[in-house]
Amino acid sequence: MAKRTVPLVLLLLVVYGVCVPASAQVCRLLGQPALPLLHAQKDINIGAIFSFHRSALLKIHPFTSKPEPTTCISFNLREFKFAQTLIFAIEEINNNTQLLPGVFLGYKIYDSCSSIALTILSGMALMNGYEETLRDTSCSRPPAVHAIVGESNSSPTIGLASLVGPFSLPVISHFATCACLSNRKRYPSFFRTIPSDYYQSKALVQLVKHFGWTWVGTVRSRSDYGNNGIAAFEEAAKQEGICIEYSEAIFKTDPQDQFLKTVEVIKKGTARVVLAFIALGDFVPLLKVISQHNITGIQWVGSESWITSRTLAETKEYSFLSGAVGFAIANAKLMGLREFLVNVHPDQEPNNEMLKEFWETTFQCSFSNSGSGGCTGSERLAELQNEYTDVSELRIANKVYTAVYAIAYTLHNILKDIKTSTKSSKGERPTPQKVFRAHKITKEKKNIMKLIKIKIMDLSSQVLEYIRGVQFTIKTGEEISFDASGDPVARYDLVNWQPVQDGSLQFKNVGFYDSSLPSEQHLQVNQEHLPESVCSESCPPGTRKAVQKGRPVCCYDCIPYSSDCFPCDLEYWSNESKDRCVLKVIEFLSYTEIMGMVLCIFAFVGVLLTTIVSSLFYLHKETPIVRANNSELSFLLLFSLTLCFLCSLTFIGRPTEWSCMLRHTAFGITFVLCISCILGKTIVVLMAFKATLPGSNVMKWFGPLQQQLSVVSLTLIQMIICVLWLTISPPFPFMNLSYYRDKIILECNVGSALGFWAVLGYTGLLSILCFILAFLARKLPDNFNEAKFITFSMLIFCAVWFTFIPAYVSSPGKFTVAVEIFAILASSFGLLFCIFAPKCYIILLKPEKNTKKQMMMKSLHKTL
């Protein structure tokens, strides 16, 4: 690391006019060394860069003489407050026995004067120090600080992060929001405690969309902050159908003509909503010009840079900002901060010129003037209410406070690992994380802290490694952590500027934006009393939109419809006003509607009853009533009935290619299997009676094996029909547009009508044959003649399906499917109850009749 700092040191010397001989081993700085304006040397030092002045009078150096020191003008109380908040946090940590025990933090704070060049110069000084004489050892020492807090603006922060990134020195910004800083390849050591503008731009689009503002103008800073922010906003706005009338860019150093041009664009524009994605320093010059031109009736939408500026809100000339709305960083209360701020006094550091300048700016006096208007030093900050002493809005100051604590917790975790390694290690690296090389400790326990402080001098790369995973909760209750890009979770307050009795404006929270919530809950708004901003009002019924030539799509004229209306597409139909085409409702029998749920319940009840009957038969499988008439066929019949109940479920839900093929083939095969079993049982009854006649051996030709083969053969024929049907012309989902004008019936087209009726016809043929045979065998002598129950079941079965045909043809839409499901369930329940209910009655309630003697008694009586 030390060798890599040499180019930076040489660059600093060359820029400021120093000639360095190639053989020189000792160099003396000829220019002015960059010194911190506020500093306190301790065990571990934190660097910081703030814009104590709003601008710097930079000059072009001819490199022929020593450059004059840079002059900075316009003292910034807000930035000075940030610096004092940093010192407050450091002193609070130094007094905390739980955080960094035995180690004290120091600080070195520089003034960038809102200049990129001075920010880079300050960053070099924080890395290399500011000694006037450089020796070989100067390049082997660690950095002067182990982390840098700052800068407040995005462009200087980009320069700073680019400078220190290759040297693994962490930079934590409290106010640089440019989304470009999330680029880990370009800025590997950058972190921030304020959300990225990527989220703010998305939040602003959601806000504009929420209030129905489709026609807006934008004004931005001509800087990385404004350019990137508006670019992200415009991209997201385009996706949401929001049109942008104009996009103006300004910078605080622009000539007056540029501000006048921007004001003229706003004045002539028709957009009543203006988004100002602009830095506070750039916004103030524009506001001064706007106030001179008396522009009112604008709804201002602001970025976090200025939306909570107390200076703007308390300036009565800017009362036209009343009603402004925008996203601000969540507010916080830091106990003890105001007492700390008002205790600052120039006497604390008599030689510090910046403290004197702060005092003169605050009280509008001068130490050089001993007469009227001179500073006496007896003035009291506690009696003053201004931007510096006000602690009601600590949104950004809290981010400075958080940045300091992020560094402190990072150092605390490092030191904790060091202590562990020095106590337990014997030269190897500590296992929790790759930190420092552990050294063999041969001294007494009292020397451990001294060794730790020696190791502290080489923390830079470890700080960067540890800060990536730091996670903590500060006393305000906020949980802090960084993602892979160095960004925190994006949380904003939605702030509205509302007037008070004294004519000033106050900030009122009217909602929030939280990126950690589900996408539909990101934006929460509590107030809707804001104006509309549209390019053109909605067209009344009977008229249509005609886009204005050369203008965005949000701008249109409303033209009455002519007599020759154009027809809507097949999937659309006209609304009641006949002024637009709307998508037709798609109808099908769904699981979620009441009819679908009722049919599903009946299907599952059928499955449950069939399962209960199967279990009952299995438990009594050795009894005569179960064994009579081929118990294997009875169990196969129960299984096929279960499939019949389940196949009805395939008719419910949105028709797809697979469901259409499955529903008809499953229905056909399961019912043929069921009817085949019943047909087999009917034939068994007839054959059994024939077998009782003298000299008859007919049962030898229709035993159990032949019965099972007949079921398989009859079912196989249906399967062959289904395979041919699916191969030649299978069913498919079909959008029926002809039945209704305002609905689309989504149904299954049978494909081949021949295949469909072949399946139904074969099933009907077996049913009729079974009914005839059962009817013939209904009076055969037997104490328990199953044929008469089969007759009743087949009578119900045939009646259901004969009535199904006209109902199926006449039912519209989803009711066609409902009728088919009803027929399946009704016929299945009829077979289940008629065939198995009498047997279950005897098994459960008349067990005395479930004997072989009872089964044969009536048969013998009839024979005699």
Side-chain angles (χ1 to χ4, degrees), residues 352-595:
N352 194 319
E353 293 298 324
M354 190 188 67
L355 290 180
K356 293 180 181 179
E357 186 180 2
F358 157 69
W359 201 263
E360 292 174 343
T361 303
T362 303
F363 293 102
Q364 295 297 299
C365 61
S366 175
F367 281 105
S368 60
N369 189 353
S370 58
S372 176
C375 297
T376 63
S378 60
E379 297 85 1
R380 291 176 55 83
L381 285 171
E383 299 174 355
L384 201 63
Q385 184 67 22
N386 64 2
E387 186 176 21
Y388 174 75
T389 59
D390 178 31
V391 292
S392 63
E393 295 290 333
L394 297 177
R395 302 174 189 273
I396 308 304
N398 180 52
K399 297 306 176 184
V400 178
Y401 181 87
T402 304
V404 176
Y405 267 86
I407 297 170
Y409 274 99
T410 300
L411 294 169
H412 181 84
N413 294 339
I414 295 174
L415 297 182
K416 185 169 64 175
D417 283 351
I418 292 177
K419 288 182 181 180
T420 302
S421 68
T422 53
K423 290 180 180 180
S424 61
S425 176
K426 293 185 179 181
E428 68 278 6
R429 290 178 177 267
T431 55
Q433 288 173 292
K434 293 183 178 180
V435 286
F436 316 98
R437 288 188 176 276
H439 298 281
K440 187 175 181 180
I441 308 302
T442 58
K443 297 183 180 181
E444 298 294 332
K445 185 177 180 181
K446 65 181 180 180
N447 293 327
I448 290 178
M449 188 55 67
K450 182 178 179 181
L451 178 61
I452 290 174
K453 290 185 178 181
I454 293 174
K455 288 186 176 183
I456 286 172
M457 300 303 293
D458 189 24
L459 293 180
S460 298
S461 59
Q462 285 72 33
V463 172
L464 178 58
E465 183 178 348
Y466 271 70
I467 202 170
R468 292 190 180 110
V470 72
Q471 190 169 0
F472 61 95
T473 303
I474 56 177
K475 66 180 183 181
T476 60
E478 185 180 4
E479 294 183 359
I480 306 299
S481 61
F482 301 107
D483 63 16
S485 300
D487 296 326
V489 174
R491 296 186 182 93
Y492 298 98
D493 285 342
L494 181 58
V495 175
N496 182 219
W497 289 29
Q498 299 184 358
V500 291
Q501 293 180 350
D502 62 359
S504 62
L505 300 170
Q506 68 173 2
F507 308 136
K508 185 174 181 180
N509 285 1
V510 294
F512 66 87
Y513 180 91
D514 191 339
S515 64
S516 64
L517 297 176
S519 57
E520 65 276 4
Q521 300 176 16
H522 281 175
L523 177 63
Q524 302 287 330
V525 182
N526 303 328
Q527 184 176 347
E528 303 269 349
H529 306 295
L530 290 169
E532 292 185 355
S533 180
V534 294
C535 183
S536 301
E537 297 292 337
S538 299
C539 289
T543 62
R544 63 181 179 87
K545 296 178 182 178
V547 178
Q548 297 173 359
K549 187 175 181 180
R551 304 200 69 185
V553 293
C554 300
C555 303
Y556 48 82
D557 296 320
C558 297
I559 301 176
Y561 281 108
S562 57
S563 56
D564 52 340
C565 296
F566 60 89
C568 295
D569 293 337
L570 291 177
E571 297 180 9
Y572 294 82
W573 79 303
S574 61
N575 62 356
E576 294 180 358
S577 302
K578 307 295 182 181
D579 57 0
R580 69 175 61 181
C581 294
V582 295
L583 189 66
K584 293 181 180 179
V585 176
I586 297 178
E587 183 181 89
F588 59 90
L589 185 60
S590 170
Y591 286 103
T592 56
E593 58 182 296
I594 295 178
M595 186 189 302

Side-chain angles (χ1 to χ4, degrees), residues 205 218 220 229-239 244 246-247:
V205 170
T218 64
R220 70 183 187 276
I230 283 295
F233 174 84
E234 290 179 350
E235 181 179 354
K238 185 177 180 181
Q239 297 174 358
I244 297 174
Y246 56 83
S247 182

Side-chain angles (χ1 to χ4, degrees), residues 214-228:
T214 59
W215 184 239
V216 300
T218 64
V219 181
R220 70 183 187 276
S221 291
R222 196 184 303 105
S223 63
D224 294 290
Y225 170 73
N227 293 337
N228 286 278

Side-chain angles (χ1 to χ4, degrees), residues 86 310 486:
L86 180 138
R310 182 64 63 186

Side-chain angles (χ1 to χ4, degrees), residues 600-839:
C600 284
I601 291 172
F602 275 104
F604 285 119
V605 168
V607 172
L608 179 63
L609 290 176
T610 309
T611 305
I612 293 173
V613 172
S614 300
S615 302
L616 185 65
F617 268 50
Y618 183 78
L619 293 174
H620 297 83
K621 60 183 178 181
E622 301 300 330
T623 60
I625 201 166
V626 176
R627 296 181 62 186
N629 201 353
N630 198 330
S631 61
E632 289 82 3
L633 283 183
S634 296
F635 283 110
L636 186 58
L637 176 58
L638 287 169
F639 172 71
S640 63
L641 283 174
T642 303
L643 295 180
C644 289
F645 284 117
L646 291 176
C647 82
S648 65
L649 299 177
T650 61
F651 289 81
I652 305 176
R654 188 182 186 92
T656 63
E657 185 177 350
W658 284 101
S659 67
C660 287
M661 290 191 293
L662 179 63
R663 63 173 58 172
H664 291 100
T665 54
F667 156 73
I669 294 172
T670 54
F671 266 85
V672 163
L673 177 62
C674 182
I675 300 301
S676 299
C677 294
I678 297 173
L679 184 61
K681 295 173 74 67
T682 306
I683 295 175
V684 167
V685 172
L686 288 172
M687 295 299 102
F689 177 75
K690 293 290 184 179
T692 59
L693 298 177
S696 176
N697 61 349
V698 68
M699 286 304 295
K700 182 176 67 174
W701 302 106
F702 202 73
L705 178 60
Q706 288 78 9
Q707 297 167 24
Q708 294 167 7
L709 287 175
S710 66
V711 171
V712 172
S713 301
L714 292 173
T715 307
L716 184 61
I717 294 173
Q718 182 75 305
M719 294 177 68
I720 293 173
I721 295 173
C722 290
V723 170
L724 292 174
W725 180 19
L726 295 180
T727 303
I728 298 172
S729 180
F732 59 89
F734 172 70
M735 298 178 72
N736 190 336
L737 303 172
S738 59
Y739 202 92
Y740 292 105
R741 290 185 58 196
D742 59 338
K743 291 182 182 179
I744 298 176
I745 306 300
L746 191 58
E747 58 187 12
C748 285
N749 189 298
V750 296
S752 171
L754 178 63
F756 174 72
W757 290 109
V759 169
L760 285 183
Y762 182 69
T763 306
L765 177 65
L766 291 182
S767 302
I768 294 172
L769 178 62
C770 184
F771 173 73
I772 293 173
L773 293 177
F775 182 79
L776 295 175
R778 72 189 188 284
K779 292 185 178 181
L780 294 179
D782 198 343
N783 195 27
F784 187 82
N785 185 358
E786 197 174 22
K788 58 184 176 183
F789 299 115
I790 294 175
T791 303
F792 282 121
S793 66
M794 295 311 301
L795 183 63
I796 294 173
F797 184 90
C798 292
V800 167
W801 285 101
F802 279 128
T803 56
F804 157 77
I805 295 175
Y808 180 84
V809 173
S810 61
S811 298
K814 61 184 177 182
F815 298 103
T816 304
V817 180
V819 167
E820 192 167 359
I821 296 174
F822 176 79
I824 293 172
L825 294 177
S827 56
S828 300
F829 275 114
L831 295 175
L832 179 66
F833 284 119
C834 289
I835 295 177
F836 293 99
K839 294 185 178 182

Side-chain angles (χ1 to χ4, degrees), residues 49-64:
I49 303 175
F50 297 104
S51 301
F52 291 131
H53 295 86
R54 289 188 172 88
S55 60
L57 299 178
L58 298 178
K59 299 179 181 179
I60 299 176
H61 302 295
F63 294 98
T64 58

